Each structure stands twice: as C-alpha cells, then as structure tokens.
C-alpha cells in the first residue's frame, strides 16, 4: 500500500466539454492544469484513481538541480523559483524548503565527475561547490565512512510528495479546473484528423486539445492512437521512518542510500543504486533504444523476470470506448517491493550513519518511474495528431521539475512563448535521426 496522500474532492458536476482535457492527476498533470487555469483556459482533469496516488506521492521529495542532465537545467531553475512561492500561491503547505542537497563523493574518480558537472553547470548560473572530505563530514554528524569530498548545492530543496500535488490541485479547482477522479479515459477520439473528444467510463468530454500526462500509463494511452512512445517502467523502493533525532538538514545521497528530512520529523529513505526493472514485452520491444542506458546503469538496476511479463503480455492493451478498460481494473498501480531491497537500504544507512541504524520504519512502498531512453522527458505536441500533447517520461525527475514543466506544457498547448526552449523535450527526437543518449554525472 502506498503512502497516505492528502485528499482532493472531485468536482460535483461531470463535464461534457472543455477547451483542454488533461489526462492524469499526478503532479505533472496538475501543474499543467493549474498553469492553463491561471490563463483563463477551461480545463478538465481526468484521473482513473485519485490525485497523486501513484509516483507523484511515492517519490523521494527532492527538488534538485544537483547532478541533473544539462538539458533539464533551465527547466529546473525555473521550477525552483516557482517552488519558492508555491505555499503562498496555493494557500496550503507543500512542504517546500531550501535546505540544500549534498552528494558525497565516495572516490576520487567520483569527485572528479562531480567537479566536471559543477564546471558544466556554471554556464546555467548554477553554482554548486565541491567540498573537501573534512567539509563534507562537518555537514554530516556521525559519518562513519571515508570519503573524498562532496558536491554541495545549497539552494536546492525538498517538498512533501503526499501534500504538494493535492495542494496544487485544490488551488486549480479554485481557479475553475474541473477534476474528476475514479474517471478513467478509455480512448482519445479524432475528427478530421484532429483531437475532438475523450471517452471516459462515465461519458464523453468534447475538447480542442488533450494533454497526456499519465506517467507509466502514457505509453498505453498513446498506443491506442497508433503512436509509439519508447517508455519503460522502473520500480523504486522508498520508506519513511518515525520521528528521529537527526541533525542533518540537507537531502543527502551516499550512493547506496539517500535520505531526506520530513516535516513530520521522520526521514524518507531510498536508494538510487537498488532499483528494479521487471522484464516485460515492452522491454524486448525497446531493447535497442534502452540498451545504452541499461548498460550505463547496470550496477544500479536489477532485472526481474516474473509474473509481470505474463500480465502485461496478456492484459495490457489500449482501451476501447465501449468496454471496461485496464485503467478501470487497476485504479492505482501499487507494485510489490522486494523485502531484501528494504533490508539492504537500512544496512547501507547503518554503515554510513550508525546512529540511525535502529530507526523505526513506519511504512514502505514501491513506485513506478516512467523512464525514457535518454532519461529526459517528453514535453511536446504529438507530431502526427493536431491537438494532442504529451508530458511524460520524466525518468524520476518529475516531482522537482513539475511546476515549470506544467507551465511549458501549457505554453505549447496555447501557443504562447515557452518558458524555456522545448527543443530537447520534443517527441520527434526519437524519429528525426537525433542520437539518443543519457548524460550520466553522479
């Protein structure tokens, strides 16, 4: 079972039309709907389950520039400015705080990689700094491992995934967004080649534009329109502790374990080195596209062949307008986690910070990351379908980058000047001959 998420009520009246329909009640969909509503656009947001019930509430809660793919830096820079004023804007607590993010450099080779990223990032006016081993240890009371130093980004921050998207959604509703939960979209329909309406389990909604922001479900939704999105799923395991006495304020990554302070006094603990990828039919279908990324991350990614291959081979099909869809049968994707992974994360934490070795785990959960071959998102119009837009594939970066990603998507939908250059995020990069590669820094 996933974490407890702040509840958002559905709008009382089911809509029959809108200017824009946003599919997906995660933080990207919510941020897009909010940005459109701020400009007076009539928006309906449709969610098969409840707002933020999947990865948007299950992520680490980091809002970071540190170590990002350079192509994302302009977008995250804008997002952090927006996060800074988010509590005041929405009138609710999102948990955002600027406490900094610290990546330990465990070896000299890693320290050199961190230094190269700092040097490259300066062109975007991002001033991370390299700390010595002694300076890093001073920020980490109780550190019990030898290190070569650390990469410190003091203006990065953190927020609360179980609060942020719901708070933004409530404000979007106050601006007129109609939110329908437990309302799965079965199909996206066209007239004269252009998007015309969506068919949901409760009826049709006519519209001029549709934004697909369905996270790991986006590939299936687009497949129903004959569009191939090279997207796979990666399982990340996260846990939260009961309140602890911890003097470490920044978000910290030690590699095998990472942690963040929570507003409730506990810690969110996870690991970027212990992710799981279930082998599915799509894994084979997109093997060539993803192989470079897999090879690069092979030490941090555990492949697993099991029931999910059979389930997706037999049952994962695009919806049909007149039949109950997979989206209705799986309201919330709640993946099973491996207890051995949880155990290893806690062992890693104890090795680095022995004083936290006996933390009490209050809850653990899994979340499915929607990932792309180059590990950056698609924020783009669909090249072959006028009126269709795509915001997905955030590859574990979506929470922190969401405010500006939503604004960029809204810019593209209404044709206004984009907040940042959207070229790197175009859907057509997978078909126009661009060399697809992920940048790896950490």
């Amino acid at each position: 079972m996933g974490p407890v998420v702040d509840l958002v009520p559905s709008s009382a009246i089911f809509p029959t039309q809108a200017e824009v329909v946003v599919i997906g009640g995660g933080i990207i969909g919510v941020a897009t709907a909010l940005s459109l509503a701020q400009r007076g656009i009539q928006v309906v947001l449709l969610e098969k389950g409840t707002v933020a019930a999947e990865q948007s509430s299950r992520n680490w809660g980091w809002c970071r520039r540190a170590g990002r793919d350079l192509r994302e830096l302009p977008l995250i820079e804008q997002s952090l400015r927006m996060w800074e004023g988010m509590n005041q804007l929405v009138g609710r607590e999102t948990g955002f705080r600027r406490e900094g993010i610290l990546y330990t450099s465990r070896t000299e080779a890693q320290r050199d990689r961190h230094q190269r990223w700092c040097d490259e990032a300066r062109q975007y006016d991002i001033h991370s700094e390299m700390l010595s081993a002694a300076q890093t240890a001073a920020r980490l009371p109780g550190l019990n491992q030898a290190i070569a130093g650390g990469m410190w980004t003091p203006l990065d921050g953190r927020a609360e995934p179980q609060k942020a998207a719901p708070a933004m959604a409530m404000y979007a509703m106050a601006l007129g967004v109609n939110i329908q939960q437990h309302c799965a979209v079965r199909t996206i329909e066209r007239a004269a080649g252009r998007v015309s309406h969506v068919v949901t389990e409760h009826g049709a909604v006519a519209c001029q534009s549709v934004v697909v922001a369905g996270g790991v479900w986006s590939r299936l939704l687009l497949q129903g329109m004959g569009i191939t999105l090279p997207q796979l799923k990666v399982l990340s395991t996260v846990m939260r502790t009961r309140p602890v006495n911890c003097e470490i304020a920044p978000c910290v990554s030690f590699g095998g374990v990472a942690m963040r302070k929570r507003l409730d006094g506990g810690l969110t603990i996870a690991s970027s080195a212990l992710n799981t990828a279930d082998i599915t039919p799509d894994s084979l279908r997109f093997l060539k596209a993803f192989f470079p990324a897999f090879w690069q991350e092979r030490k941090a990614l555990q492949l697993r062949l099991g029931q999910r291959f059979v389930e997706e081979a037999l049952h994962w099909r695009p919806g049909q307008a007149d039949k109950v869809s997979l989206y209705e049968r799986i309201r919330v994707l709640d993946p099973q986690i491996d207890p051995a992974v949880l155990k290893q994360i806690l062992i890693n934490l104890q090795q680095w910070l022995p004083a936290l070795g006996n933390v009490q785990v209050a809850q653990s959960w899994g979340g499915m990351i929607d990932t792309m071959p180059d590990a950056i998102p698609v924020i783009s119009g669909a090249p072959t379908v006028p009126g269709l837009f795509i915001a997905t594939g955030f590859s574990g970066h979506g929470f922190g980058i969401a405010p500006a990603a939503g604004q960029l998507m809204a810019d593209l939908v209404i044709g206004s000047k984009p907040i940042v250059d959207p070229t790197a995020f175009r859907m057509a990069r997978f078909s126009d001959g661009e060399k697809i590669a992920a940048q790896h820094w950490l």
Side-chain angles (χ1 to χ4, degrees), residues 48-61:
K48 64 180 176 56
T50 55
V51 167
E54 294 189 345
Q55 185 59 12
S56 291
S57 65
R58 297 167 183 243
N59 63 84
W60 299 8

Side-chain angles (χ1 to χ4, degrees), residues 228-398:
T228 299
L229 179 74
Q231 181 188 61
L232 294 179
K233 303 181 285 293
V234 173
L235 171 60
S236 177
T237 298
V238 183
M239 67 189 84
R240 67 175 177 88
T241 74
R242 301 194 185 284
V244 299
N245 182 19
C246 178
E247 300 178 13
I248 300 173
C251 301
V252 183
S253 173
F254 300 102
V257 64
M259 57 184 246
R260 165 183 73 83
K261 263 194 164 181
R262 301 170 55 90
L263 287 185
D264 61 15
L267 300 173
T268 292
I269 303 172
S271 173
S272 59
L274 294 170
N275 294 320
T276 303
D278 285 296
I279 298 173
T280 66
D282 277 347
S283 305
L284 305 180
R285 188 173 289 113
F286 299 131
L287 177 61
K288 182 178 179 181
F290 275 89
F291 186 78
F294 164 72
W295 187 253
Q296 184 170 275
E297 300 293 338
R298 62 192 182 279
K299 294 181 180 179
L301 196 61
Q302 302 176 30
L303 297 181
R304 183 171 65 182
L305 177 62
Q307 185 63 28
R308 182 160 292 280
F309 186 97
V310 177
E311 290 176 359
E312 296 198 16
L314 295 179
H315 304 300
W316 282 55
R317 298 285 185 272
Q320 298 180 44
D322 59 347
K323 295 182 179 180
V324 173
S325 66
L326 179 69
Y327 317 121
E328 292 152 75
R329 292 194 291 269
I330 305 178
R331 294 290 180 181
V332 176
L333 191 58
D334 189 24
Q336 183 177 358
I337 56 178
D338 185 346
V341 172
L342 293 174
K343 182 178 180 180
Q344 187 59 55
I345 291 173
L346 290 174
I347 289 172
N348 293 344
L349 179 65
Q350 185 174 24
Q351 289 174 344
W352 283 96
L353 298 168
L356 296 179
N358 294 319
V359 293
Q360 295 182 358
V361 176
Q363 189 182 15
S364 58
W365 59 80
M368 285 294 193
I369 296 171
D370 49 325
T371 188
M372 306 301 292
D374 51 6
I376 64 171
V378 171
I379 308 172
S380 171
T384 58
V385 183
L388 180 65
F389 297 85
I390 305 166
T392 194
F394 283 80
S395 304
H397 309 165

Side-chain angles (χ1 to χ4, degrees), residues 53-123:
E54 294 189 345
Q55 185 59 12
S56 291
S57 65
R58 297 167 183 243
N59 63 84
W60 299 8
W62 293 28
C63 301
R64 69 175 175 91
R65 295 169 298 176
R68 276 195 183 269
D69 189 300
L70 298 178
R71 293 166 291 185
E72 289 183 332
L73 286 180
L75 202 56
I76 185 59
E77 185 69 8
Q78 293 288 345
S79 280
L80 281 168
R81 293 192 185 105
M82 297 168 74
W83 274 117
E84 187 68 51
M86 190 64 70
N87 284 357
Q88 182 176 0
L89 174 69
V90 304
R92 289 176 171 81
E93 179 64 79
T94 66
F96 181 76
R97 304 289 189 273
R98 284 191 188 264
E99 298 284 2
I101 289 178
L102 177 60
Y103 279 88
T104 59
S105 303
R106 298 174 296 283
T107 65
E108 290 295 338
Q110 189 176 48
R111 178 179 167 83
D112 290 343
R113 288 199 301 274
H114 287 164
Q115 182 65 68
R116 287 196 299 273
W117 185 88
C118 291
D119 294 341
E120 291 276 5
R122 286 196 182 94
Q123 66 184 294

